[in-house]
Amino acid sequence: MPPLERNKRDVAQRILDHATKLFARHGFVGASLRDIAKAVGIRKPSLLYHFPSKDDLRRGVLEQMLAHWNHAVPRILRAATAGPEQFDAIATEALTFFREDPDRARLLLRELLDRPEEVAPLVAMRVQPWSKIVCDYIRKGQEQGRVRADVDPEAYVAQVINLVLCGFATHISISRVLAQAPEEHDPSERLLREMLRVAKSSLFETGPAPAPARARPAIAGGA
Amino acid sequence: MPPLERNKRDVAQRILDHATKLFARHGFVGASLRDIAKAVGIRKPSLLYHFPSKDDLRRGVLEQMLAHWNHAVPRILRAATAGPEQFDAIATEALTFFREDPDRARLLLRELLDRPEEVAPLVAMRVQPWSKIVCDYIRKGQEQGRVRADVDPEAYVAQVINLVLCGFATHISISRVLAQAPEEHDPSERLLREMLRVAKSSLFETGPAPAPARARPAIAGGA
DNA sequence: CCGTCTCTCTACCACTCGGTAGGCACATCG
DNA sequence: CGATGTGCCTACCGAGTGGTAGAGAGACGG
């Protein structure tokens, strides 16, 4: 690839990155092309040379994020077909995607709020292969008695998505609501641990809790 | 109260209502004063007569929503100090607030995304009395062995807030992700039921599930 | 009946927005 | 070397924004 073309891709990439951050922080209408261009270090018409319109830029940002997700899915699916202790593996892989950059959660949430008709099908396409695996896993676990019988697989997946999306998007605010010291990028470990615990313990009959008094036969799926 | 003054309050109220809806749907920057005025049926300067600036209107909208929440809290607290089967009562009362008008969840989520520094303390003030009751209830339940020992009360409350907020704000999109028929205002009953189930079963050792094979001594707290 | 006060209106303002026109520097290639 | 084309720039545009000025219609109190 000639250096000139590489440079072009490089600038486009930097535009996408800064646009992602500013769209996530201030919303699509709240982030102006001037601000984005300034963050990149160029002028607005130069930005419009790479992305012919603001809406093109928005779609580019969304596509890049979904592409990143696509890139993460194989790792998640591999975790999903590994061993019997699949839950933690799946959860860890899926959370990594948002831990890498919490702006992804903010951006996605904003897009779902602003343009549900357009964004929902796009997201659905990317989420379904993964959610299908999880649902199958849940149903099989239910047949084997490992997973609670009252779990509604698809609806459960939706709740976990809510949990993660909102958790990463608003953790700073939520931390303050609980009068905790907010951390810079990640939700505090405490909130993240509880997020996982809620997701897990609502799935299996018993969680990894050290049941204080009464001993109970260990069931596959708990730690 | 003279009819003239009542009319003034009436117009201000209609402005607040329409502004709530439009802010929730399109965001603060995305909803223009002209659009809001048009929805009310007046002109923009008339709107600015009642609310001197757009930011005043925003604060008014937020305050009204928090006031509505304040109005709902006594019912919730009453439910919280009723009987042993408190969970369903608390949950129902709290959910009613958002079921009445899902725009409340959307508005709150948007404000938390846009202005965490300003909104978080406001919300914290309103949520803390309620969350404190819930946390005390959880801790007492843990001492009595009714509630799972591994629950982190404050963090658990945060997760439930995430679940509800995101669930009501994006349920249309999430429904489509799961390829369900979206309903007009409420999340589909199926999603709502699972939301409650996740919150409840992650709190108590056993849920209301008809444990299929192995019988187990009933523990207070489950249904 | 007349002055005052309340509320709404039309007309306008400065400003920012997304987007365009056209020129300039430079790298590439025949 | 000149021709071509790429990528960035300054300058500008119309549209829409939040907000203001000031006039007019109608209710109220003396």
Side-chain angles (χ1 to χ4, degrees):
Chain A
M1 180 183 300
L4 209 146
E5 187 174 343
R6 214 191 57 177
N7 179 60
K8 177 171 181 174
R9 287 176 56 111
D10 203 58
V11 172
Q13 186 56 55
R14 276 164 51 214
I15 293 174
L16 281 177
D17 290 342
H18 283 98
T20 299
K21 186 162 72 180
L22 290 174
F23 284 161
R25 296 236 220 283
H26 309 297
F28 178 67
V29 278
S32 73
L33 292 182
R34 281 171 177 84
D35 292 342
I36 297 169
K38 183 183 286 184
V40 177
I42 58 178
R43 304 289 160 263
K44 187 187 46 157
S46 308
L47 191 158
L48 284 166
Y49 170 80
H50 293 276
F51 296 88
S53 78
K54 193 183 185 184
D55 211 62
D56 286 316
L57 178 57
R58 181 183 63 77
R59 277 193 295 269
V61 164
L62 194 56
E63 275 171 25
Q64 173 178 260
M65 206 204 54
L66 292 176
H68 282 163
W69 172 257
N70 260 8
H71 182 259
V73 163
R75 285 208 315 263
I76 298 175
L77 294 188
R78 216 177 308 131
T81 54
E85 282 304 335
Q86 297 165 339
F87 184 88
D88 289 330
I90 298 178
T92 304
E93 290 294 341
L95 282 190
T96 298
F97 178 73
F98 292 104
R99 292 192 81 169
E100 277 176 16
D101 181 6
D103 280 335
R104 289 171 176 166
R106 279 187 274 268
L107 182 78
L108 199 50
L109 200 47
R110 291 199 115 110
E111 286 290 297
L112 287 173
L113 282 169
D114 287 343
R115 269 165 293 275
E117 328 76 29
E118 178 194 338
V119 177
L122 280 176
V123 175
M125 258 177 39
R126 316 287 175 140
V127 167
Q128 263 166 7
W130 167 75
S131 93
K132 192 177 178 310
I133 299 262
V134 174
C135 288
D136 289 348
Y137 167 70
I138 292 176
R139 289 214 172 78
K140 213 171 83 180
Q142 285 177 321
E143 289 170 12
Q144 299 172 356
R146 263 187 304 124
V147 174
R148 299 171 61 102
D150 57 350
V151 175
D152 177 341
E154 285 83 8
Y156 169 81
V157 170
Q159 302 312 315
V160 173
I161 292 176
N162 287 344
L163 216 50
V164 173
L165 220 52
C166 197
F168 278 93
T170 71
H171 78 275
I172 296 177
S173 308
I174 299 292
S175 298
R176 289 194 196 170
V177 168
L178 303 180
Q180 290 190 312
E183 298 174 13
E184 190 56 22
H185 281 303
D186 278 1
S188 70
E189 280 302 320
R190 189 179 162 196
L191 286 175
L192 220 152
R193 203 180 319 127
E194 185 69 6
M195 186 192 294
L196 269 174
R197 195 200 63 76
V198 166
K200 187 170 185 175
S201 66
S202 62
L203 198 57
F204 301 108
E205 283 287 340
T206 61
R214 47 199 178 283
R216 184 174 299 168
I219 296 178
Chain B
M1 181 183 299
L4 209 146
E5 186 173 343
R6 214 190 60 178
N7 179 59
K8 177 171 183 176
R9 286 176 57 112
D10 202 59
V11 173
Q13 186 55 56
R14 276 163 53 212
I15 293 174
L16 282 177
D17 291 342
H18 283 97
T20 300
K21 187 163 71 181
L22 290 173
F23 284 161
R25 296 239 218 282
H26 310 296
F28 178 66
V29 278
S32 73
L33 291 182
R34 279 172 177 83
D35 292 342
I36 298 170
K38 183 184 287 183
V40 178
I42 58 178
R43 305 289 160 260
K44 188 186 44 156
S46 307
L47 190 157
L48 285 166
Y49 171 80
H50 293 276
F51 296 89
S53 78
K54 194 184 186 184
D55 210 63
D56 285 316
L57 177 56
R58 181 183 62 78
R59 278 193 294 270
V61 164
L62 194 57
E63 274 171 26
Q64 173 178 259
M65 206 205 53
L66 293 176
H68 283 163
W69 171 258
N70 259 10
H71 183 258
V73 163
R75 284 209 315 263
I76 299 176
L77 294 188
R78 216 177 309 132
T81 52
E85 283 302 334
Q86 297 165 340
F87 184 88
D88 289 330
I90 297 178
T92 303
E93 289 295 340
L95 282 190
T96 298
F97 179 72
F98 293 103
R99 292 190 82 169
E100 277 176 17
D101 181 5
D103 280 335
R104 289 171 178 166
R106 279 187 273 268
L107 182 78
L108 200 48
L109 199 48
R110 291 200 114 110
E111 285 290 297
L112 287 172
L113 283 169
D114 287 343
R115 268 165 294 275
E117 328 75 29
E118 178 193 338
V119 178
L122 280 177
V123 175
M125 259 177 36
R126 315 288 174 139
V127 167
Q128 264 165 7
W130 168 75
S131 93
K132 192 175 179 310
I133 299 261
V134 174
C135 288
D136 290 347
Y137 167 70
I138 292 176
R139 289 213 172 80
K140 213 171 82 179
Q142 285 176 321
E143 288 170 12
Q144 300 173 354
R146 264 186 303 124
V147 174
R148 299 172 62 103
D150 57 350
V151 174
D152 178 340
E154 284 84 9
Y156 168 82
V157 170
Q159 302 311 316
V160 173
I161 292 176
N162 287 344
L163 214 51
V164 173
L165 220 52
C166 196
F168 278 93
T170 72
H171 78 274
I172 295 177
S173 308
I174 299 292
S175 298
R176 289 195 195 171
V177 168
L178 302 182
Q180 290 192 311
E183 299 176 13
E184 190 55 24
H185 281 303
D186 278 3
S188 70
E189 280 302 320
R190 188 178 162 198
L191 287 175
L192 221 152
R193 203 180 317 127
E194 185 70 7
M195 186 192 293
L196 269 174
R197 196 200 62 77
V198 166
K200 186 170 186 176
S201 66
S202 62
L203 199 56
F204 301 108
E205 284 286 341
T206 62
R214 48 198 178 287
R216 183 175 298 166
I219 297 177

